[in-house]
């Protein structure tokens, strides 16, 4: 039996139940991993509350990101062996001391990346990678707006966009978060709970507006985010911490300057194994050379997953959070 955090009925953070579960031996194409750290992500709350339905029904083990050591390999697994240091993003099952993972979703960790770093960055950092390199290629001199700049994805994406030479503007919920975002690549911060962020973006960019807006907030920042984008620019709506955006008339993209809009997810960008490895390697590269740091600002025992979710949804966290089994 191993410790795990399961959801038996969807709801608030209190439905996260710490208990002991059986993990079977690895089946065809699977590896058994002893997890050293589990990442905490906003998507974990969407599954917990039922906004994203669990593909395996109830109960399910929460969590979508982890890192650890291979303890056993199942039939058909040829490129992983016992003792390998690995990390992964997989749908559910990560809030546990041990877990089975499909081998084709596993990435081997370079020796300079710790388990804790990996658990804090695989989902958030690979998301930042595809957003700044694939959804829209950020280049030198571009104006980039990132909402929730002091968050998990936020701090990584701001550093990466800065490294690529962009002028990085970040919205944040408090003065402390503004200072943190500035220390992590943001050139300009906007206190979007007090200030009109559209007016501030106009002022900061001298009326040019942004080439791309990365919006993980959803309902509360839409459609104002569109007013921050230059003609033919890109709206990347990659999350919904404030709730999902309601249906809208697509003509709004025409009236606001023939904008491009997308609702991307890492699942699509990393669906092919070669893309997963390319995205992960790109992330290991920028972290390895120090261009991007991964601040782990909250560490919790696995049994305290309820508190981890309360803090995340209560806007009380910055950077990445991890659970330690
Ligand atoms: N599509 C993908 O592939 C993908 C992958 C990973 C993550 N995501 C998305 O990226 C976003 C960030 O995820 P994360 O795990 O890094 O979380 P996070 O940014 O660390 O935490 C969420 C932050 O959102 C801000 N926020 C604004 N309104 C909020 C509200 N009503 N309730 C709670 N928070 C609110 C808060 O920052 P302030 O106090 O500064 O406002 C809060 O700290 C999420 O939308 C997530 O779903 C998408």
């Amino acid at each position: 039996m191993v410790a795990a955090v399961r959801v038996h009925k969807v709801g608030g953070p209190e439905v996260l139940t710490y208990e002991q579960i059986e993990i079977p031996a690895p089946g065809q194409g699977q590896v058994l991993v002893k997890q050293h750290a589990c990442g905490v992500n906003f998507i974990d709350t969407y599954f917990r509350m039922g906004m994203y339905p669990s593909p395996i029904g109830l109960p399910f083990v929460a969590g979508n990101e982890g890192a650890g050591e291979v303890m056993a390999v199942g039939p058909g697994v040829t490129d992983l062996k016992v003792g390998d240091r690995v990390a992964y993003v997989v749908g559910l099952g990560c809030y546990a001391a041990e877990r089975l993972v499909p081998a084709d979703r596993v990435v081997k960790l370079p020796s300079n990346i710790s388990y804790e770093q990996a658990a804090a960055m695989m989902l958030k950092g690979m998301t930042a990678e595809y957003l700044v390199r694939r959804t829209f290629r950020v280049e030198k001199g571009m104006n980039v707006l990132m909402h929730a700049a002091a968050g998990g994805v936020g701090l990584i994406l701001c550093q990466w966009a800065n490294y690529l030479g962009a002028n990085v503007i970040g919205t944040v919920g408090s003065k402390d978060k503004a200072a943190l975002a500035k220390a992590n690549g943001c050139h300009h911060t906007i206190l979007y709970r007090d200030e009109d962020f559209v007016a501030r973006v106009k002022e900061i960019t001298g009326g040019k507006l942004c080439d791309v807006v990365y919006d993980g907030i959803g309902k509360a920042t839409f459609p104002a985010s569109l007013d921050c984008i230059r003609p033919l620019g890109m709206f990347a709506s990659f999350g919904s911490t404030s709730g999902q955006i309601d249906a809208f008339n697509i003509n709004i993209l025409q009236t606001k300057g023939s904008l491009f809009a997308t609702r991307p997810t890492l699942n699509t960008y990393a669906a092919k194994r070669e893309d997963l490895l390319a995205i992960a390697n790109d992330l290991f590269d920028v972290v390895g050379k120090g261009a991007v740091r991964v601040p782990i600002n909250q560490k919790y025992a696995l049994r305290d997953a309820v508190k981890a979710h309360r803090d995340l949804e209560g806007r009380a966290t910055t950077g990445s959070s991890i659970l330690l089994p």
Side-chain angles (χ1 to χ4, degrees), residues 51-84:
M51 186 168 103
Y52 287 2
S54 155
I56 52 164
L58 292 166
F60 62 83
V61 175
N64 298 275
E65 177 182 41
E69 188 185 335
V70 174
M71 294 173 71
V73 299
V77 177
T78 51
D79 53 350
L80 289 168
K81 58 179 190 322
V82 172
D84 279 348

Side-chain angles (χ1 to χ4, degrees), residues 40-43 46 52 123-124 127-128 130-131 146-154 171-174 177 192-193 215-218 220 237-243 263-267 269 311-321:
V40 178
N41 291 278
F42 226 92
I43 191 173
Y46 304 152
Y52 287 2
L123 203 164
K124 298 171 237 344
T127 298
Y130 83 71
L131 287 172
M146 176 67 194
H147 284 305
V153 177
T171 59
V172 287
S174 70
K177 289 186 179 186
Y192 59 172
R193 294 171 92 164
D215 189 335
I217 307 293
S237 169
F238 69 101
S240 3
T241 56
S242 69
R263 176 51 177 95
T265 164
L266 177 62
N267 289 341
Y269 282 87
D311 290 350
L312 186 63
E313 289 172 288
R315 307 171 84 154
T317 65
T318 57
S320 297
S321 304

Side-chain angles (χ1 to χ4, degrees), residues 192-208:
Y192 59 172
R193 294 171 92 164
D194 308 322
E195 300 179 284
D196 173 348
F197 71 81
V198 177
R200 289 278 287 119
V201 164
K202 281 186 185 148
E203 181 194 329
I204 291 164
T205 60
K208 284 172 68 182

Side-chain angles (χ1 to χ4, degrees), residues 285-301:
D285 180 52
V286 290
V287 172
K289 60 186 172 208
V292 171
R293 285 171 297 115
V294 182
I296 305 174
N297 292 346
Q298 298 76 217
K299 291 186 189 181
Y300 307 86

